[in-house]
Amino acid sequence: MEERKYIFVVFEKTTLGMGKFIRAVTGFPYNHAGISFSEDIGTIYSFSRKYKKAPFYGGFVAESPLRLKNGKRTGKIKICAVPLKKKDFSEAENYIAEMFEEREKYIYNMISAALFPFGIRVEIKNSFTCAEFVLSMLKNFTDIKFREKKDFYSIKELSEVLEPYKIYEGSGEKFLSGTAWGKDSFSEDKSFFFLLGKTIGNNAELLKRFIKKH
């Protein structure tokens, strides 16, 4: 029998204002999702903000679980272990490694994020929301059969599809011990003008790609 490997889909209830706003809109307890290759979720790959103080400057990131901690508060998480064939696991790892190597070309899809309450996905080259990214990984590398043939799945819908694969749900506190920021720039203290310039440039490029495609 062929050896099975797993990717771990992590759903998060984050503690910052943007997460609270998203949950208020959706009425769902989780507002963020990502992919990890280890059960200890030492690194979570996703599309999110790059710096804590720049909520509208986002792209492809290697998140540390330390993002779950905000002062005395720690976010809640749900982890689903999805089986893959060994060959597909290796291909998924290589795909993510290539994305991270070229991460500067990937942009968080703010346009899709703004339209998600209406169930609308706007496809833009090299641009994803966290839910779009997780969906693409599941469709490309796992054997999960989605009942509906559609391009848009909300975090709630993804969570429901993956419920049979759940291995943990609760506080993220148990995953923080001995954890470092690693390749995650989230906590770095950058100047207001640096973050403003990056935010403007990032979203100008996103708009340029949107106009070019549509």
Side-chain angles (χ1 to χ4, degrees):
M1 183 179 294
E2 184 178 5
E3 179 186 357
R4 303 291 284 184
K5 305 281 280 185
Y6 295 87
I7 59 171
F8 300 89
V9 180
V10 185
F11 297 96
E12 302 177 22
K13 178 183 180 181
T14 60
T15 58
L16 298 178
M18 184 62 71
K20 294 178 183 177
F21 172 76
I22 293 171
R23 293 193 300 274
V25 172
T26 63
F28 189 64
Y30 298 105
N31 59 275
H32 185 53
I35 295 285
S36 184
F37 291 102
S38 59
E39 191 172 351
D40 66 0
I41 62 168
T43 301
I44 304 167
Y45 296 98
S46 188
F47 277 74
S48 184
R49 69 175 74 184
K50 295 190 176 183
Y51 299 95
K52 182 177 181 179
K53 295 181 179 179
F56 301 108
Y57 170 41
F60 183 63
V61 293
E63 299 178 347
S64 165
L66 290 173
R67 287 193 181 213
L68 292 165
K69 190 78 171 178
N70 184 26
K72 295 182 179 180
R73 292 175 295 167
T74 303
K76 181 181 177 181
I77 60 173
K78 172 181 174 180
I79 303 175
C80 300
V82 183
L84 282 75
K85 297 174 183 176
K86 187 175 181 181
K87 174 178 176 293
D88 292 333
F89 182 86
S90 296
E91 289 180 357
E93 278 193 312
N94 292 336
Y95 175 72
I96 291 297
E98 290 174 5
M99 284 187 71
F100 191 75
E101 185 69 23
E102 301 181 325
R103 59 191 177 277
E104 292 305 318
K105 77 179 185 181
Y106 292 99
I107 302 174
Y108 185 85
N109 194 338
M110 290 289 181
I111 298 174
S112 263
L115 295 174
F116 86 88
F118 309 102
I120 298 173
R121 182 196 178 195
V122 179
E123 187 175 350
I124 300 175
K125 184 178 179 181
N126 293 329
S127 183
F128 298 86
T129 64
C130 64
E132 291 170 349
F133 167 68
V134 169
L135 178 63
S136 72
M137 291 293 294
L138 294 174
K139 285 188 171 182
N140 289 330
F141 299 105
T142 75
D143 294 327
I144 290 178
K145 305 299 182 184
F146 290 87
R147 293 191 303 272
E148 298 180 63
K149 303 295 184 182
K150 59 179 184 177
D151 293 328
F152 176 87
Y153 273 78
S154 66
I155 289 177
K156 179 180 179 181
E157 289 171 323
L158 288 174
S159 177
E160 290 171 348
V161 169
L162 296 181
E163 183 64 24
Y165 304 96
K166 182 174 71 174
I167 60 170
Y168 176 80
E169 187 165 18
S171 173
E173 190 71 41
K174 65 178 288 186
F175 297 93
L176 303 184
S177 178
T179 301
W181 284 105
K183 300 175 183 178
D184 192 350
S185 61
F186 185 75
S187 67
E188 293 179 13
D189 189 19
K190 300 293 185 180
S191 73
F192 169 79
F193 293 104
F194 172 87
L195 296 176
L196 179 63
K198 289 291 187 180
T199 299
I200 293 173
N202 199 61
N203 288 288
E205 174 62 23
L206 179 67
L207 185 59
K208 176 182 174 182
R209 294 182 192 180
F210 172 75
I211 293 172
K212 184 176 181 180
K213 180 175 177 59
H214 298 84

mmCIF file of all heavy atoms in Angstrom, residues 117-134:
data_model
loop_
_atom_site.group_PDB
_atom_site.id
_atom_site.type_symbol
_atom_site.label_atom_id
_atom_site.label_comp_id
_atom_site.label_asym_id
_atom_site.label_seq_id
_atom_site.Cartn_x
_atom_site.Cartn_y
_atom_site.Cartn_z
ATOM 1 N N PRO A 117 -18.684 38.697 0.490
ATOM 2 C CA PRO A 117 -20.021 38.561 1.107
ATOM 3 C C PRO A 117 -21.117 38.254 0.089
ATOM 4 O O PRO A 117 -22.176 37.746 0.445
ATOM 5 C CB PRO A 117 -20.248 39.926 1.757
ATOM 6 C CG PRO A 117 -18.879 40.481 1.976
ATOM 7 C CD PRO A 117 -18.090 40.009 0.797
ATOM 8 N N PHE A 118 -20.833 38.556 -1.188
ATOM 9 C CA PHE A 118 -21.806 38.318 -2.249
ATOM 10 C C PHE A 118 -21.531 37.017 -3.012
ATOM 11 O O PHE A 118 -22.189 36.727 -4.016
ATOM 12 C CB PHE A 118 -21.803 39.499 -3.223
ATOM 13 C CG PHE A 118 -21.949 40.834 -2.544
ATOM 14 C CD1 PHE A 118 -20.851 41.661 -2.347
ATOM 15 C CD2 PHE A 118 -23.184 41.251 -2.063
ATOM 16 C CE1 PHE A 118 -20.973 42.879 -1.710
ATOM 17 C CE2 PHE A 118 -23.329 42.481 -1.434
ATOM 18 C CZ PHE A 118 -22.215 43.288 -1.240
ATOM 19 N N GLY A 119 -20.556 36.249 -2.535
ATOM 20 C CA GLY A 119 -20.236 34.977 -3.178
ATOM 21 C C GLY A 119 -19.596 35.138 -4.535
ATOM 22 O O GLY A 119 -19.730 34.269 -5.404
ATOM 23 N N ILE A 120 -18.882 36.230 -4.729
ATOM 24 C CA ILE A 120 -18.273 36.524 -6.028
ATOM 25 C C ILE A 120 -16.760 36.407 -5.936
ATOM 26 O O ILE A 120 -16.139 36.965 -5.033
ATOM 27 C CB ILE A 120 -18.645 37.941 -6.505
ATOM 28 C CG1 ILE A 120 -20.165 38.054 -6.680
ATOM 29 C CG2 ILE A 120 -17.924 38.281 -7.807
ATOM 30 C CD1 ILE A 120 -20.630 39.465 -6.979
ATOM 31 N N ARG A 121 -16.162 35.682 -6.856
ATOM 32 C CA ARG A 121 -14.716 35.619 -6.963
ATOM 33 C C ARG A 121 -14.281 36.379 -8.211
ATOM 34 O O ARG A 121 -14.829 36.169 -9.289
ATOM 35 C CB ARG A 121 -14.222 34.176 -7.060
ATOM 36 C CG ARG A 121 -12.688 34.127 -7.123
ATOM 37 C CD ARG A 121 -12.148 32.805 -7.589
ATOM 38 N NE ARG A 121 -10.697 32.887 -7.668
ATOM 39 C CZ ARG A 121 -9.935 32.014 -8.307
ATOM 40 N NH1 ARG A 121 -10.475 30.991 -8.929
ATOM 41 N NH2 ARG A 121 -8.622 32.160 -8.343
ATOM 42 N N VAL A 122 -13.293 37.239 -8.066
ATOM 43 C CA VAL A 122 -12.707 37.950 -9.195
ATOM 44 C C VAL A 122 -11.314 37.376 -9.420
ATOM 45 O O VAL A 122 -10.421 37.546 -8.587
ATOM 46 C CB VAL A 122 -12.618 39.462 -8.926
ATOM 47 C CG1 VAL A 122 -11.977 40.166 -10.117
ATOM 48 C CG2 VAL A 122 -14.007 40.029 -8.652
ATOM 49 N N GLU A 123 -11.146 36.673 -10.515
ATOM 50 C CA GLU A 123 -9.864 36.022 -10.785
ATOM 51 C C GLU A 123 -8.861 37.032 -11.334
ATOM 52 O O GLU A 123 -9.116 37.712 -12.326
ATOM 53 C CB GLU A 123 -10.053 34.883 -11.782
ATOM 54 C CG GLU A 123 -8.802 34.051 -11.987
ATOM 55 C CD GLU A 123 -9.028 32.857 -12.893
ATOM 56 O OE1 GLU A 123 -10.197 32.572 -13.216
ATOM 57 O OE2 GLU A 123 -8.037 32.213 -13.282
ATOM 58 N N ILE A 124 -7.719 37.128 -10.683
ATOM 59 C CA ILE A 124 -6.640 38.022 -11.089
ATOM 60 C C ILE A 124 -5.336 37.226 -11.040
ATOM 61 O O ILE A 124 -5.102 36.471 -10.094
ATOM 62 C CB ILE A 124 -6.549 39.257 -10.169
ATOM 63 C CG1 ILE A 124 -7.860 40.050 -10.217
ATOM 64 C CG2 ILE A 124 -5.379 40.159 -10.576
ATOM 65 C CD1 ILE A 124 -7.911 41.226 -9.255
ATOM 66 N N LYS A 125 -4.497 37.404 -12.023
ATOM 67 C CA LYS A 125 -3.261 36.636 -12.137
ATOM 68 C C LYS A 125 -2.397 36.769 -10.880
ATOM 69 O O LYS A 125 -2.154 37.867 -10.396
ATOM 70 C CB LYS A 125 -2.460 37.095 -13.357
ATOM 71 C CG LYS A 125 -1.195 36.280 -13.605
ATOM 72 C CD LYS A 125 -0.476 36.770 -14.849
ATOM 73 C CE LYS A 125 0.797 35.954 -15.081
ATOM 74 N NZ LYS A 125 1.540 36.427 -16.292
ATOM 75 N N ASN A 126 -1.952 35.625 -10.368
ATOM 76 C CA ASN A 126 -1.058 35.569 -9.207
ATOM 77 C C ASN A 126 -1.608 36.326 -8.002
ATOM 78 O O ASN A 126 -0.865 36.975 -7.257
ATOM 79 C CB ASN A 126 0.330 36.123 -9.566
ATOM 80 C CG ASN A 126 1.052 35.249 -10.568
ATOM 81 O OD1 ASN A 126 0.861 34.035 -10.599
ATOM 82 N ND2 ASN A 126 1.870 35.858 -11.404
ATOM 83 N N SER A 127 -2.910 36.228 -7.826
ATOM 84 C CA SER A 127 -3.552 36.926 -6.717
ATOM 85 C C SER A 127 -4.652 36.049 -6.130
ATOM 86 O O SER A 127 -5.486 35.516 -6.861
ATOM 87 C CB SER A 127 -4.139 38.255 -7.208
ATOM 88 O OG SER A 127 -4.691 38.979 -6.148
ATOM 89 N N PHE A 128 -4.650 35.908 -4.804
ATOM 90 C CA PHE A 128 -5.611 35.053 -4.120
ATOM 91 C C PHE A 128 -6.032 35.685 -2.801
ATOM 92 O O PHE A 128 -5.299 36.475 -2.222
ATOM 93 C CB PHE A 128 -4.995 33.676 -3.789
ATOM 94 C CG PHE A 128 -4.567 32.860 -4.961
ATOM 95 C CD1 PHE A 128 -3.313 33.035 -5.527
ATOM 96 C CD2 PHE A 128 -5.412 31.901 -5.500
ATOM 97 C CE1 PHE A 128 -2.901 32.267 -6.605
ATOM 98 C CE2 PHE A 128 -5.006 31.123 -6.572
ATOM 99 C CZ PHE A 128 -3.753 31.308 -7.135
ATOM 100 N N THR A 129 -7.203 35.289 -2.316
ATOM 101 C CA THR A 129 -7.529 35.444 -0.906
ATOM 102 C C THR A 129 -7.064 34.165 -0.214
ATOM 103 O O THR A 129 -6.691 33.184 -0.883
ATOM 104 C CB THR A 129 -9.029 35.634 -0.672
ATOM 105 O OG1 THR A 129 -9.712 34.432 -1.092
ATOM 106 C CG2 THR A 129 -9.575 36.826 -1.456
ATOM 107 N N CYS A 130 -7.127 34.124 1.099
ATOM 108 C CA CYS A 130 -6.703 32.906 1.795
ATOM 109 C C CYS A 130 -7.592 31.724 1.414
ATOM 110 O O CYS A 130 -7.104 30.603 1.211
ATOM 111 C CB CYS A 130 -6.676 33.123 3.302
ATOM 112 S SG CYS A 130 -8.274 33.476 4.079
ATOM 113 N N ALA A 131 -8.894 31.942 1.294
ATOM 114 C CA ALA A 131 -9.814 30.857 0.951
ATOM 115 C C ALA A 131 -9.571 30.360 -0.478
ATOM 116 O O ALA A 131 -9.619 29.146 -0.740
ATOM 117 C CB ALA A 131 -11.260 31.315 1.111
ATOM 118 N N GLU A 132 -9.313 31.286 -1.404
ATOM 119 C CA GLU A 132 -9.024 30.896 -2.782
ATOM 120 C C GLU A 132 -7.751 30.058 -2.855
ATOM 121 O O GLU A 132 -7.678 29.074 -3.606
ATOM 122 C CB GLU A 132 -8.888 32.140 -3.654
ATOM 123 C CG GLU A 132 -10.193 32.883 -3.866
ATOM 124 C CD GLU A 132 -10.007 34.245 -4.516
ATOM 125 O OE1 GLU A 132 -8.847 34.710 -4.612
ATOM 126 O OE2 GLU A 132 -11.020 34.843 -4.908
ATOM 127 N N PHE A 133 -6.751 30.442 -2.092
ATOM 128 C CA PHE A 133 -5.491 29.711 -2.075
ATOM 129 C C PHE A 133 -5.675 28.298 -1.523
ATOM 130 O O PHE A 133 -5.214 27.317 -2.125
ATOM 131 C CB PHE A 133 -4.458 30.476 -1.239
ATOM 132 C CG PHE A 133 -3.241 29.666 -0.898
ATOM 133 C CD1 PHE A 133 -2.352 29.280 -1.880
ATOM 134 C CD2 PHE A 133 -2.988 29.293 0.411
ATOM 135 C CE1 PHE A 133 -1.229 28.519 -1.568
ATOM 136 C CE2 PHE A 133 -1.874 28.546 0.741
ATOM 137 C CZ PHE A 133 -0.989 28.156 -0.253
ATOM 138 N N VAL A 134 -6.362 28.163 -0.400
ATOM 139 C CA VAL A 134 -6.589 26.842 0.187
ATOM 140 C C VAL A 134 -7.396 25.970 -0.773
ATOM 141 O O VAL A 134 -7.089 24.788 -0.976
ATOM 142 C CB VAL A 134 -7.305 26.961 1.539
ATOM 143 C CG1 VAL A 134 -7.775 25.593 2.032
ATOM 144 C CG2 VAL A 134 -6.381 27.585 2.578
#
